[in-house]
């Protein structure tokens, strides 16, 4: 009798325990469902904000969808400082620059893959459509489209008085100390390998307001960025920040700020690509300040206007830059440590010492000051944060325009372990 009573008691306890477990599971599933539902609503809201109504849609053979958006409906005008902004086209004098050369078996041309499939009507601009998958690859919806902040283990400067972040490795040519209102260069186009999905590599120009860890910059060039763009293609980009990538600015049109005026897709795939056994291709990238408005304008080869960073989103850069850098950068958490170095390549993936057809180069390097004349900088220094992983070389020959080479393979034991 007593045993039967104990058996029934344990059955009741078991039933209660089962009900509690079932209740907990149901509650968890309910919370997860609500969380998933909330995330889906946030994603839909973000997509609606980023992807503006299209007048025309173009399906590119590389998989991109290009929306032709009314120029005044673009994302820039979601910025609070640009609510009443009137679009200001590039001043004529900025369209006068040195012609690109074709010597040494190199060709200066920009061709984006999407252009094979059509063009946008007058009064609209082409914008690469952001997908749900693009957003899901980001660390968070708020961080989508941004470079991750630079980390500094210590704030000591290198021999060039430059502060070196712990999650970036750069090889670059630098000039500083004057008031620069423009910079440009022909940037050799390659397709370096980025095996890690959270990393990216660039070949670009930076214009900054100072050389300390807390800077403001406008930037442009090409990059391979699988996390942001979903593939390993070489793509054109623009970037801006007012606080060293902490909370302001973004790539391309992924946040309000940059005003696009031209028929170039920011984030669009570039082709053709250079090879070690074939022709060398490059794009001429230039950024110039209009002293009358404080806008920084971006243009490409053959005087193709892209758009501008309006003065309203800038701080001291609206007056001038005091530092210009030309070169490459790899962003990774696996650099400058004893752990295995990243295998993400920079430039062509070969060291600067290989020079033409082997290493990535920049040439026709120019700055502009308040004389409004393009000229080679008076003083430059070639720098490399990790010279055994990525190197730099400024090739200066008598009577010839200097050519800057940079790049490298990343991990290369035992020199870059």
């Amino acid at each position: 009798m007593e045993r039967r009573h104990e058996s029934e008691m344990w059955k009741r306890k078991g039933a209660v325990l089962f009900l509690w477990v079932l209740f907990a599971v149901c509650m968890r599933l309910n919370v997860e469902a609500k969380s998933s539902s909330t995330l889906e609503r946030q994603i839909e809201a973000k997509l609606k904000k980023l992807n503006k109504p299209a007048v025309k849609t173009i399906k590119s053979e590389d998989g991109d969808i290009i929306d032709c958006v009314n120029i005044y409906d673009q994302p820039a005008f979601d910025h609070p400082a640009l609510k009443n902004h009137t679009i200001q086209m590039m001043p004529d004098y900025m369209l006068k620059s040195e012609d690109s050369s074709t010597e040494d078996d190199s060709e200066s041309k920009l061709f984006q893959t999407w252009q094979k499939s059509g063009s946008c009507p007058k009064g609209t601009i082409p914008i690469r459509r952001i997908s749900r998958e693009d957003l899901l690859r980001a660390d968070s919806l708020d961080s989508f489209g941004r470079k991750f902040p630079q980390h500094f283990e210590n704030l000591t400067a290198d021999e060039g008085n430059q502060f070196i972040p712990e999650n970036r490795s750069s090889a670059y040519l630098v000039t500083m100390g004057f008031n620069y209102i423009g910079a440009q260069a022909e940037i050799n186009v390659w397709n370096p390998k980025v095996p890690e999905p959270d990393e990216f590599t660039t070949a670009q120009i930076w214009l900054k307001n100072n050389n300390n860890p807390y800077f403001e910059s406008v930037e442009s060039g090409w990059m391979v960025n699988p996390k942001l763009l979903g593939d390993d293609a070489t793509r054109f980009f623009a970037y801006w920040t007012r606080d060293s990538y902490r909370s302001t600015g973004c790539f391309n049109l992924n946040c309000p700020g940059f005003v696009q005026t031209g028929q170039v897709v920011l984030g669009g795939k570039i082709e053709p690509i250079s090879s070690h056994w074939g022709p060398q291709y490059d794009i001429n990238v230039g950024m110039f300040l209009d002293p009358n408005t404080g806008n920084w304008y971006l243009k490409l080869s053959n005087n193709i206007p892209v758009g501008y960073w309006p003065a309203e989103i800038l701080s001291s850069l609206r007056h001038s830059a005091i530092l210009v850098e030309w070169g490459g950068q790899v962003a990774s958490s696996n650099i400058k440590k004893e752990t295995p170095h990243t295998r993400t390549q920079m430039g062509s993936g070969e060291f600067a010492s290989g020079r033409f057809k082997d290493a990535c180069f920049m040439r026709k390097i120019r700055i502009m000051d308040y004389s409004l004349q393009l000229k080679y900088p008076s003083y430059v220094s070639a720098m490399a944060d990790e010279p055994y992983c990525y190197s730099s070389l400024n090739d200066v020959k008598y009577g010839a325009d200097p050519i800057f080479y940079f790049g490298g393979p990343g991990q290369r034991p035992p020199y870059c372990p």
Side-chain angles (χ1 to χ4, degrees), residues 80-131:
L82 301 176
K83 291 297 184 184
N84 300 311
H85 183 82
T86 300
I87 290 176
Q88 297 153 353
M89 295 299 183
M90 183 180 291
D92 290 342
Y93 76 87
M94 291 185 185
L95 297 175
K96 299 174 183 177
S97 65
E98 295 174 296
D99 292 331
S100 300
S101 68
T102 55
E103 59 183 311
D104 297 326
D105 192 28
S106 176
E107 301 181 27
S108 285
K109 59 173 70 174
L110 168 71
F111 186 80
Q112 294 191 302
T113 306
W114 74 275
Q115 294 170 326
K116 298 177 183 178
S117 305
S119 61
C120 285
K122 187 176 181 180
T124 68
I125 56 169
I127 301 178
R128 179 183 178 273
R129 185 182 297 179
I130 306 300
S131 69

Side-chain angles (χ1 to χ4, degrees), residues 76 79-82 216 218 240-242 248-249 255-259 294-295 308-315 317-318:
H79 196 291
L82 301 176
E216 178 179 21
V218 290
W240 68 280
T241 180
R242 286 182 56 175
T248 61
C255 68
F258 186 85
V259 178
N295 300 333
Y308 60 95
W309 295 275
E312 291 92 330
I313 67 170
L314 303 173
S315 183
L317 268 186
R318 69 178 68 182

Side-chain angles (χ1 to χ4, degrees), residues 320-342:
S320 71
I322 67 163
L323 180 147
V324 187
E325 295 170 341
W326 299 261
Q329 185 176 83
V330 168
S332 169
S333 58
N334 293 320
I335 55 177
K336 302 170 188 170
K337 296 181 179 180
E338 292 182 3
T339 56
H341 193 282
T342 178

Side-chain angles (χ1 to χ4, degrees), residues 18-83:
F18 173 77
L19 290 174
W20 272 111
V21 170
L22 183 62
F23 175 75
V25 170
C26 289
M27 288 297 292
R28 181 174 179 178
L29 290 174
N30 187 46
V31 169
E32 289 178 352
K34 286 183 178 179
S35 176
S36 177
S37 177
T38 300
L39 178 61
E40 287 300 322
R41 287 197 299 270
Q42 292 173 339
I43 289 174
E44 288 304 316
K46 185 84 170 179
L47 289 173
K48 186 175 181 181
K49 189 173 184 179
L50 290 170
N51 295 322
K52 302 301 182 181
V55 174
K56 176 183 176 180
T57 296
I58 299 170
K59 292 183 179 180
S60 175
E61 67 179 41
D62 61 6
D64 285 353
I65 296 177
I66 308 301
D67 290 325
C68 300
V69 175
N70 184 292
I71 195 169
Y72 273 100
D73 289 339
Q74 63 179 291
F77 298 107
D78 289 336
H79 196 291
L82 301 176
K83 291 297 184 184

Side-chain angles (χ1 to χ4, degrees), residues 81-204:
L82 301 176
K83 291 297 184 184
N84 300 311
H85 183 82
T86 300
I87 290 176
Q88 297 153 353
M89 295 299 183
M90 183 180 291
D92 290 342
Y93 76 87
M94 291 185 185
L95 297 175
K96 299 174 183 177
S97 65
E98 295 174 296
D99 292 331
S100 300
S101 68
T102 55
E103 59 183 311
D104 297 326
D105 192 28
S106 176
E107 301 181 27
S108 285
K109 59 173 70 174
L110 168 71
F111 186 80
Q112 294 191 302
T113 306
W114 74 275
Q115 294 170 326
K116 298 177 183 178
S117 305
S119 61
C120 285
K122 187 176 181 180
T124 68
I125 56 169
I127 301 178
R128 179 183 178 273
R129 185 182 297 179
I130 306 300
S131 69
R132 181 177 181 276
E133 290 69 30
D134 291 334
L135 297 182
L136 289 174
R137 285 193 303 272
D139 292 332
S140 69
L141 293 181
D142 288 338
S143 67
F144 172 73
R146 290 179 178 164
K147 292 185 179 183
F148 46 81
Q150 297 186 151
H151 297 151
F152 295 86
E153 293 295 325
N154 55 67
L155 296 182
T156 58
D158 65 10
E159 60 183 15
N161 203 33
Q162 292 284 92
F163 290 90
I164 304 174
E166 294 299 315
N167 53 4
R168 303 284 202 279
S169 189
S170 303
Y172 56 97
L173 189 73
V174 61
T175 187
M176 67 178 82
F178 295 91
N179 291 315
Y180 306 108
I181 64 169
Q184 74 175 37
E186 293 179 0
I187 307 176
N188 193 201
V189 179
W190 290 83
N191 182 236
K193 290 181 172 27
V194 181
E196 300 299 327
D198 288 343
E199 301 179 354
F200 64 85
T201 183
T202 71
Q204 64 173 100

Side-chain angles (χ1 to χ4, degrees), residues 265-277:
V265 170
L266 291 164
K269 182 179 176 181
I270 299 173
E271 60 177 33
I273 300 294
S274 303
S275 67
H276 299 296
W277 55 86

